[in-house]
Amino acid sequence: MTYEELMQKAIEVSKNSYSPYSKFAVGACLETVNGKIYTGCNFENSSFGMTICAERNAVGSAIADGEQKIKAIAIYSPNQDNCAPCGACRQVLHEFCDRDEDVAIILKNGNELKIYTLAQLLPESFNL
């Protein structure tokens, strides 16, 4: 899939966000190294710590389907341009790639797509 197609799916799935507390909807669409596509949206809970980000929701769907290597992920929020993943999501993305330099993080800034590598967004990532 192209980055534009991944972003379009992220935009579509952001409409399914369950965010009654923050009113901050987010959608994510990821592609695995095997070319499979998974989407996720954020969903909140009145116990705020139980909230799940769109990125981790998409990663969980990929893992449940047996995929463990991420190639790219598009992230979109109608509330904010250039909606980058939180620190927890960056670390989760790191867990499921061979090299942070190989994972494309696709963000929407106005009418433009901005492409980062995971290495740019998570320098000196944590490893065991």
Side-chain angles (χ1 to χ4, degrees):
M1 271 194 141
T2 68
Y3 290 163
E4 290 80 10
E5 291 170 322
L6 290 173
M7 181 55 70
Q8 189 55 46
K9 287 190 174 291
I11 291 168
E12 289 169 18
V13 76
S14 74
K15 297 171 186 171
N16 297 332
S17 168
Y18 179 76
S19 46
Y21 306 104
S22 72
K23 310 285 191 254
F24 196 86
V26 181
C29 180
L30 74 78
E31 181 176 11
T32 67
V33 296
N34 293 325
K36 290 189 174 183
I37 304 300
Y38 300 91
T39 59
C41 60
N42 62 321
F43 60 94
E44 298 177 343
N45 190 282
S46 59
S47 175
F48 295 141
M50 304 305 294
T51 294
I52 301 294
C53 296
E55 301 91 325
R56 286 184 282 145
N57 192 347
V59 169
S61 293
I63 299 305
D65 196 39
E67 293 291 316
Q68 294 188 357
K69 297 296 177 193
I70 297 167
K71 176 181 173 183
I73 186 165
I75 304 160
Y76 172 78
S77 174
N79 304 88
Q80 174 183 324
D81 277 349
N82 211 38
C83 183
C86 72
C89 287
R90 293 174 197 204
Q91 185 63 42
V92 167
L93 292 169
H94 166 75
E95 184 74 19
F96 297 103
C97 69
D98 286 326
R99 294 174 3 108
D100 291 345
E101 295 82 5
D102 296 336
V103 177
I105 310 293
I106 306 143
L107 308 177
K108 189 165 176 45
N109 193 13
N111 291 326
E112 290 183 13
L113 295 184
K114 295 188 78 171
I115 314 302
Y116 300 92
T117 66
L118 183 55
Q120 289 174 303
L121 297 183
L122 187 65
E124 304 298 326
S125 57
F126 177 76
N127 287 304
L128 286 181

